[in-house]
Amino acid sequence: MNSLQKKCTVFTFLWLGVFMVQSQKVPKSYVAYQTVDTISIDGKANEKSWKNAEWSTRFIDIEGVKEPTYKTQVKMLWDKTHLYFYAEMEEPHVWATLTQRDTVIFYNNDFEIFIDPDGDTHEYMEFEVNALNTVWDLFLTKPYRNHPKVIDGWDINGLQTAVNVKGTINNAKDTDTGWSVEIAMPWNALLEANSKGKLPMNEFWRINFSRVNWDFDLHNGRYSRKKDKKGKFLPEYNWVWSPQGVINMHEPEHWGYVYFSEQPAGSKISFSIPEDEYIKWFLFKKYREIRNLENKENFKVSPSNIMGKTISPVFKEHSLGWYVQVISPFTGDVLSIREDGKFQRSRGEK
């Protein structure tokens, strides 16, 4: 753990998260519907909209293999003014110590949201909250691998959050059930990172969720992160909605797909990830390989079969760096990834 998208009336929701495409697990998908009543941010999700909303799949370990010790699930909704999140986390010992906004919240057990509106892996947002309802919101210009500017002073203006503890926080004498968090993020703030500058109605954004959980020690009734015999903190557990494949949330190409339906909560529509996204995953796989090469001279990307189509990516170096690109056989668009990791699309002839 680092600091810093046709309406349809069928019941079946198309999940694509169980097979492999060029060694890339297909990210999770979720359909977020519009609210049918007013959402009151109290951490309890008692409204009809929330009752009608689908739960996400259960969180998995960040690498996508191990089952977490405790259950975590989320729901999403939206209206013309806000994007809403609700998460429930099983936890027999609900504890938190940090009370200062914009401190490093994942030093406590926390819930985190990562949002990339454009899906270009640049200009994205991170949000963290602990069981004391202390938040950290920040903006990153690029993933850490590309040496970003981390804008820690950026705030989600108008943000509303509330935590509900099912038990007693910071009390080691009892066993808790867990805690939940409810969040309302104003679109006005989120659209600052969206080049389209409009609500994503019937479109998708790339979003992921993470839950950080620590082993703990108790000293005089006070919780703290557990240390080993040498005095070093034991590593945290990172439980996520859509697996990253690596212990790094800051590879946005792995994040899930959230499709914002114009239909009301309680509707049932299907969403399938566009074919070009499969090509993107492959290009990012090659991008990561190329970055690690000491000698990139004369490097060539072999053709590959994506969704029954042969694609022939090219790697090119130029005076300002390098890029890898391909013409999509599905849309005719030129898909490329620059040396700094930014994905770009140029409209083709189809």
Side-chain angles (χ1 to χ4, degrees):
M1 169 63 211
N2 290 307
S3 55
L4 314 75
Q5 160 159 202
K6 300 185 180 277
K7 287 182 290 183
C8 180
T9 57
V10 300
F11 179 79
T12 304
F13 183 88
L14 185 57
W15 290 96
L16 298 171
V18 296
F19 58 92
M20 302 291 286
V21 176
Q22 299 296 337
S23 300
Q24 160 76 51
K25 283 189 175 180
V26 177
K28 300 288 187 179
S29 300
Y30 184 88
V31 176
Y33 297 96
Q34 290 203 68
T35 59
V36 296
D37 52 6
T38 300
I39 303 296
S40 175
I41 305 303
D42 56 10
K44 299 179 180 179
N46 291 325
E47 293 83 4
K48 182 179 180 180
S49 294
W50 283 127
K51 296 182 185 302
N52 289 347
E54 298 272 356
W55 280 110
S56 73
T57 54
R58 292 178 60 162
F59 283 27
I60 188 72
D61 182 78
I62 191 168
E63 294 179 283
V65 179
K66 300 176 184 177
E67 291 290 333
T69 305
Y70 306 124
K71 179 181 177 182
T72 310
Q73 287 182 287
V74 297
K75 293 183 176 187
M76 295 180 63
L77 292 164
W78 69 284
D79 60 24
K80 297 294 178 62
T81 60
H82 292 82
L83 175 55
Y84 302 97
F85 305 90
Y86 176 70
E88 288 191 352
M89 291 156 280
E90 289 183 351
E91 174 59 66
H93 294 277
V94 180
W95 65 275
T97 61
L98 301 172
T99 58
Q100 174 82 38
R101 178 169 179 155
D102 290 340
T103 192
V104 183
I105 299 301
F106 71 83
Y107 286 165
N108 284 175
N109 295 343
D110 77 351
F111 175 73
E112 306 178 356
I113 306 172
F114 298 81
I115 305 175
D116 179 9
D118 304 66
D120 61 1
T121 76
H122 284 210
E123 290 85 37
Y124 63 88
M125 294 155 279
E126 179 177 352
F127 167 88
E128 303 183 6
V129 60
N130 68 6
L132 286 173
N133 198 28
T134 307
V135 305
W136 183 17
D137 44 3
L138 56 154
F139 188 94
L140 293 89
T141 59
K142 306 174 187 178
Y144 286 109
R145 65 190 174 201
N146 302 119
H147 311 293
K149 289 184 178 180
V150 179
I151 307 175
D152 201 25
W154 178 83
D155 287 338
I156 303 174
N157 292 327
L159 174 73
Q160 301 175 58
T161 64
V163 166
N164 179 46
V165 177
K166 299 173 179 66
T168 51
I169 190 169
N170 292 328
N171 185 352
K173 296 180 180 180
D174 63 4
T175 299
D176 307 312
T177 301
W179 60 292
S180 59
V181 59
E182 190 174 17
I183 303 157
M185 295 184 180
W187 286 115
N188 286 343
L190 300 181
L191 293 179
E192 290 179 343
N194 182 3
S195 61
K196 295 180 180 180
K198 63 182 180 65
L199 295 182
M201 183 183 294
N202 299 326
E203 296 179 354
F204 67 84
W205 279 10
R206 302 299 300 274
I207 294 176
N208 211 352
F209 304 97
S210 174
R211 174 185 176 183
V212 170
N213 198 267
W214 298 87
D215 290 323
F216 64 86
D217 276 328
L218 270 171
H219 297 286
N220 297 321
R222 180 179 173 85
Y223 290 91
S224 63
R225 292 182 289 159
K226 191 176 184 66
K227 296 181 179 180
D228 62 19
K229 293 180 180 180
K230 295 182 179 180
K232 292 185 60 177
F233 289 113
L234 295 178
E236 76 278 11
Y237 301 98
N238 296 283
W239 302 330
V240 306
W241 170 51
S242 192
Q244 293 289 111
V246 294
I247 305 176
N248 183 1
M249 285 303 299
H250 294 270
E251 291 192 359
E253 62 267 25
H254 298 304
W255 295 353
Y257 289 76
V258 175
Y259 179 82
F260 297 95
S261 171
E262 67 179 342
Q263 297 300 303
S267 301
K268 304 289 182 181
I269 74 161
S270 62
F271 163 68
S272 57
I273 298 172
E275 293 95 336
D276 278 3
E277 294 297 305
Y278 290 74
I279 299 177
K280 269 179 68 174
W281 308 332
F282 176 74
L283 286 180
F284 268 107
K285 179 176 183 292
K286 293 303 163 185
Y287 168 80
R288 294 190 296 269
E289 293 176 1
I290 295 167
R291 285 189 74 248
N292 293 326
L293 291 175
E294 291 186 10
N295 183 7
K296 299 177 177 60
E297 187 176 357
N298 300 320
F299 178 82
K300 295 186 182 302
V301 184
S302 300
S304 184
N305 185 287
I306 304 290
M307 304 289 285
K309 299 286 187 178
T310 298
I311 66 165
S312 300
V314 296
F315 166 73
K316 290 187 178 181
E317 294 186 276
H318 53 87
S319 60
L320 298 177
W322 56 268
Y323 62 88
V324 58
Q325 72 175 30
V326 67
I327 299 175
S328 167
F330 304 109
T331 62
D333 293 349
V334 177
L335 312 179
S336 62
I337 302 175
R338 305 186 320 205
E339 182 179 5
D340 67 353
K342 185 169 185 176
F343 172 80
Q344 295 181 310
R345 175 190 296 272
S346 300
R347 294 299 175 185
E349 297 178 355
K350 286 191 179 183

